[in-house]
Amino acid sequence: METENSTLSRAEELKLLANEAFKAHKFFQAIDLYNQAIKLNDQNAVYWANRAFAHIKLEEYGSAVQDASKAIEIDPKYSKGYYRRGAAYLSMGKFKEALKDFQQVKKIRPNDPDAAKKLKECEKAVMKLKFEEAIAVSESERRSIADSIDYHSIDVEPQYSGARIEGETVTLDFIRQMLDDFRSQKRLHKRYAFQIVLQAREMLRSLPSLVDVTIPSGKHFTVCGDVHGQFYDLLNIFEINGLPSEENPYLFNGDFVDRGSFSVEVILTLFAFKCLCPSAMHLARGNHESKSMNKIYGFEGEVRSKLSETFVGLFAEVFCCLPLAHVINGKIFVVHGGLFSVDGVQLADIKALDRFCEPPEEGLMCELLWSDPQPFPGRGPSKRGVGLSFGADVTKRFLQDNNLDLVVRSHEVKDEGYQIEHDGKLITVFSAPNYCDQMGNKGAFIRFEAPDLKPNIVTFSAVPHPDVKPMAYANNFFGLFS
């Protein structure tokens, strides 16, 4: 009996330490401590629900759903279990499942005004979703927004004092002026924004789904991970590593937008460099270059606020033109998410993918955008609830099958801005330092020099930005649950 009591009290101590780590935004550490508490006492619903919340903070929504479900199984009357699971479902865009959980919270806590408010917001989101589904036009019937826009016919008011594109060509002088304007939080005129996005679309849609990049001997190439709307940190990358040019080419490996509240500035900057010099700016699709993510995580609201409703649809179209992966000098495979649920996938299979659509919920395209590495062999369920987790053996086989040396991917925040895994055969690179103004992580990018292509990893810290909070343009209801 005494031993049992001391085990339970040690579990409680670990929970309190985990709570402190959580408050300090040390979410990985918090999860580790909750793991230890659960090992000592796996029948305490609070431990599972708290760990679910830490998973939510790390965007591991699949794991959060599992933990919250376990809390509910232990104590069906524990409202926080439903609450956490509902929040995780919301984050995955599964509004109907979320609604059921918030209805349970309201049932358990009928007099709680906060529970009532959240339920109401969730109901509104589900109603909106149903309405959008009802009026949606099928892909085959949909007319291209891009084809209906003539930016030449848009007048620029005499009082507009920002950057201007003279004629049809985006120049470096224009981009420098635009970056200065963005730095001072000035807007680019819609005429020039349309011009940049439409020209970038033409270039992107002509590319294959898997792009081969050649770096001549003695030259270098820089790969950046997620930027997530952190425009001032993007400027800092250019400060450290130079502006994109023929001599200084970049690949931005997806998740340019969402979360950070300067996503419009980021995407217009990357697209403008693509227009200036296509070989200086390579762009890959991330899981956040999709309608469902942009609806939840702020990009759609930001575009509506800074540009117009037309741009919402236009960006959705252009994101469907982004390539899915790159191969550098036939040796380095670069992809946003990761590898596959089946062995034997060839580069030719990726090249053959019809990418001109919203990402599906399964299959090769989904896995390229969503999967994550795991520290043990084989394959497992995704901690995100989409895609899968894959081990070093999966990475090794894929590299051997395709005569490649290395996988570079992004998609996950890392304390140092990068992580080398799978016996050195896989590198995660993440370029949004102090992610969402709260993670305290560094950012990183990788420079490869030909011919040896040895990865030179450069890390950097966050720089100050104007006082606009991350997710400032996200759906109102979403802010209630974060």
Side-chain angles (χ1 to χ4, degrees):
M1 189 67 181
E2 208 171 298
T3 313
E4 191 184 323
N5 283 343
S6 70
T7 301
L8 295 178
S9 80
R10 177 64 186 144
E12 200 57 22
E13 281 171 25
L14 286 162
K15 181 204 81 172
L16 294 173
L17 288 170
N19 291 354
E20 288 306 312
F22 184 95
K23 283 179 200 156
H25 298 149
K26 295 177 177 172
F27 304 118
F28 292 109
Q29 191 185 334
I31 285 173
D32 185 45
L33 289 161
Y34 289 131
N35 290 347
Q36 293 176 50
I38 287 166
K39 213 173 256 184
L40 294 175
N41 178 11
D42 65 358
Q43 291 306 301
N44 189 317
V46 175
Y47 301 173
W48 293 94
N50 284 9
R51 193 172 74 176
F53 198 14
H55 281 304
I56 287 170
K57 289 294 188 181
L58 291 173
E59 301 175 24
E60 297 171 352
Y61 305 122
S63 297
V65 166
Q66 284 178 338
D67 278 1
S69 298
K70 182 69 180 170
I72 291 162
E73 183 192 308
I74 293 165
D75 182 358
K77 292 266 190 293
Y78 183 50
S79 63
K80 270 195 182 168
Y82 297 100
Y83 186 89
R84 299 283 184 245
R85 192 169 68 181
Y89 277 138
L90 270 183
S91 305
M92 294 162 85
K94 296 187 172 182
F95 300 117
K96 289 167 192 171
E97 290 91 334
L99 182 59
K100 286 179 195 162
D101 279 333
F102 291 120
Q103 283 166 341
Q104 276 299 124
V105 174
K106 183 75 170 71
K107 203 181 281 183
I108 295 164
R109 290 157 54 188
N111 302 318
D112 183 339
D114 187 51
K117 185 180 178 188
K118 287 179 167 66
L119 176 60
K120 199 172 174 189
E121 286 297 332
C122 206
E123 284 169 343
K124 272 171 29 189
V126 171
M127 288 298 290
K128 187 169 179 251
L129 190 72
K130 282 181 179 164
F131 175 71
E132 285 170 356
E133 282 171 359
I135 62 165
V137 181
S138 74
E139 291 284 338
S140 55
E141 292 171 42
R142 195 171 292 137
R143 204 167 145 253
S144 165
I145 290 170
D147 293 343
S148 68
I149 297 163
D150 174 18
Y151 62 83
H152 299 96
S153 66
I154 300 170
D155 291 327
V156 180
E157 302 77 11
Q159 65 269 32
Y160 173 71
S161 61
R164 293 171 183 261
I165 301 172
E166 303 301 337
E168 297 303 302
T169 311
V170 171
T171 63
L172 184 56
D173 283 345
F174 161 76
I175 292 178
R176 286 184 191 278
Q177 174 70 59
M178 180 181 77
L179 295 184
D180 279 346
D181 289 349
F182 285 164
R183 201 179 270 116
S184 320
Q185 292 186 272
K186 287 186 194 163
R187 305 266 166 91
L188 181 68
H189 196 281
K190 287 185 188 115
R191 183 198 195 281
Y192 307 122
F194 273 127
Q195 186 170 343
I196 288 166
V197 178
L198 291 169
Q199 285 183 11
R201 173 180 175 267
E202 287 310 301
M203 290 170 188
L204 293 168
R205 70 198 284 227
S206 68
L207 296 169
S209 291
L210 178 126
V211 176
D212 287 297
V213 176
T214 304
I215 316 172
S217 200
K219 302 290 183 185
H220 67 267
F221 187 80
T222 302
V223 178
C224 296
D226 305 34
V227 178
H228 272 304
Q230 295 186 197
F231 173 71
Y232 294 84
D233 293 307
L234 174 64
L235 290 181
N236 190 38
I237 292 171
F238 294 151
E239 200 67 38
I240 296 164
N241 196 54
L243 289 175
S245 68
E246 196 78 60
E247 293 297 302
N248 190 34
Y250 283 81
L251 162 56
F252 280 84
N253 196 28
D255 283 12
F256 322 122
V257 300
D258 280 338
R259 298 277 188 188
S261 294
F262 302 95
S263 292
V264 164
E265 290 80 359
V266 166
I267 198 65
L268 289 176
T269 298
L270 298 179
F271 280 178
F273 276 114
K274 186 73 185 168
C275 297
L276 175 71
C277 181
S279 62
M281 179 59 73
H282 299 270
L283 299 166
R285 193 173 193 173
N287 61 304
H288 276 266
E289 278 70 53
S290 69
K291 271 191 213 170
S292 59
M293 293 289 107
N294 297 162
K295 211 175 276 301
I296 301 171
Y297 291 101
F299 184 58
E300 192 178 288
E302 186 182 339
V303 169
R304 221 173 254 124
S305 170
K306 292 179 181 177
L307 292 164
S308 71
E309 186 66 45
T310 306
F311 275 96
V312 171
L314 179 60
F315 276 117
E317 262 181 38
V318 180
F319 287 165
C320 291
C321 300
L322 287 161
L324 302 175
H326 292 73
V327 174
I328 303 170
N329 284 11
K331 286 297 170 193
I332 299 169
F333 180 70
V334 190
V335 66
H336 179 71
L339 301 181
F340 313 103
S341 53
V342 292
D343 287 332
V345 175
Q346 298 289 319
L347 296 180
D349 299 325
I350 300 168
K351 205 164 261 190
L353 284 171
D354 178 6
R355 70 183 188 276
F356 297 97
C357 60
E358 287 302 310
E361 289 192 15
E362 56 185 19
L364 293 190
M365 181 170 167
C366 168
E367 290 161 5
L368 285 162
L369 300 181
W370 279 96
S371 293
D372 294 294
Q374 64 184 23
F376 35 89
R379 294 178 171 92
S382 166
K383 58 195 176 188
R384 299 172 189 270
V386 191
L388 69 141
S389 297
F390 60 96
D393 54 331
V394 176
T395 299
K396 189 178 171 190
R397 262 197 307 275
F398 173 75
L399 293 173
Q400 281 173 347
D401 289 349
N402 290 284
N403 195 25
L404 296 161
D405 293 340
L406 180 68
V407 173
V408 173
R409 43 88 63 182
S410 303
H411 194 39
E412 282 183 288
V413 62
K414 298 293 179 188
D415 283 345
E416 291 302 312
Y418 74 98
Q419 187 174 353
I420 301 171
E421 297 170 85
H422 292 185
D423 306 316
K425 294 294 184 187
L426 182 142
I427 304 176
T428 297
V429 61
F430 191 84
S431 304
N434 195 24
Y435 180 45
C436 291
D437 285 356
Q438 65 167 341
M439 296 298 284
N441 60 292
K442 286 182 179 164
F445 55 80
I446 310 175
R447 268 173 74 115
F448 292 99
E449 303 244 351
D452 69 352
L453 299 182
K454 188 171 165 287
N456 175 25
I457 300 170
V458 178
T459 65
F460 55 95
S461 297
V463 294
H465 63 75
D467 188 21
V468 184
K469 298 286 179 275
M471 304 282 281
Y473 298 92
N475 260 330
N476 284 341
F477 75 84
F478 196 76
L480 295 173
F481 303 94
S482 60

